[in-house]
Amino acid sequence: MTVWVMLVAPALGAELREARFGDDRPLTDAELAPVRALVAPRADRVLAAPSPRCAQSALALGLASEDEPALADLDAGSWRGRRIDELASSSPQLISSWLSDPDFAPPGGEPVTALLSRVGGWLDALPADTGRLLAVVEPAVVRAAVVHALALPPAAFWRLDVAPLTVTSLSGRAARWNLRCGAPLTLRQLP
């Protein structure tokens, strides 16, 4: 039986606009307004990453979601809440290592390879009778799922862009996935 996994990137919040490592700030009403005008694809089950941004985006799409810890964002450790340009100015070698070495972890954080393993393990453990599963997840989780599903080298992680409020779909099952990337969510029909 084919499993359908639809990964929806959440609304654009201040942390992404400011190129800031995730700090779990809630989205504002203005940031959620574009989400409320959209319709999510039909799903048998809905999950959300354990961040306010993902949970709020799911709710704004009219979805009742379950929290899924395996789909948490890449842990930035002590870099959490800091801007990338600040760190690049004060510690250019660390940022360079982070962007070029998938095994490098920020102090107290998680390397990309750990995220790939966590998300890949979650994907591979989905039962064949999962049906259509939709998950609202951070862009790093979408990238990790694509890298795993297509058996790309871990270094490809940083070469994938994920736009807010898009759907990346994987169909298949463990060890054999097909990809459909970056489809926009559809607008709600006005009454």
Side-chain angles (χ1 to χ4, degrees):
M1 180 169 243
T2 299
V3 175
W4 294 88
V5 177
M6 298 164 286
L7 302 170
V8 175
L12 180 65
E15 64 191 44
L16 284 182
R17 275 194 314 279
E18 298 169 0
R20 184 180 300 278
F21 287 95
D23 56 7
D24 288 340
R25 280 193 244 178
L27 295 168
T28 66
D29 283 336
E31 292 165 339
L32 286 168
V35 185
R36 292 185 183 107
L38 301 171
V39 177
R42 183 188 64 74
D44 300 315
R45 185 172 175 207
V46 178
L47 303 175
S51 73
R53 197 161 81 102
C54 290
Q56 286 179 290
S57 292
L59 195 57
L61 285 167
L63 302 170
S65 62
E66 304 169 46
D67 206 34
E68 177 50 69
L71 300 178
D73 198 6
L74 181 64
D75 184 354
S78 66
W79 292 358
R80 193 170 198 69
R82 297 193 56 198
R83 291 174 56 120
I84 291 174
D85 60 352
E86 288 173 18
L87 285 165
S89 293
S90 64
S91 305
Q93 72 287 355
L94 291 180
I95 290 294
S96 177
S97 294
W98 180 66
L99 291 171
S100 63
D101 179 2
D103 289 316
F104 176 85
E110 170 182 43
V112 167
T113 51
L115 176 68
L116 294 172
S117 178
R118 175 167 42 92
V119 173
W122 173 81
L123 265 177
D124 289 346
L126 290 173
D129 65 353
T130 296
R132 296 175 62 85
L133 184 140
L134 185 145
V136 181
V137 296
E138 297 293 344
V141 173
V142 175
R143 288 195 299 269
V146 169
V147 167
H148 176 78
L150 299 181
L152 298 172
F157 177 85
W158 291 116
R159 297 188 174 261
L160 301 171
D161 288 331
V162 179
L165 302 175
T166 58
V167 181
T168 300
S169 299
L170 300 169
S171 61
R173 60 186 72 70
R176 178 64 172 92
W177 294 97
N178 294 312
L179 170 70
R180 179 198 244 161
C181 44
L185 294 172
T186 57
L187 287 170
R188 289 189 191 280
Q189 297 295 322
L190 297 176

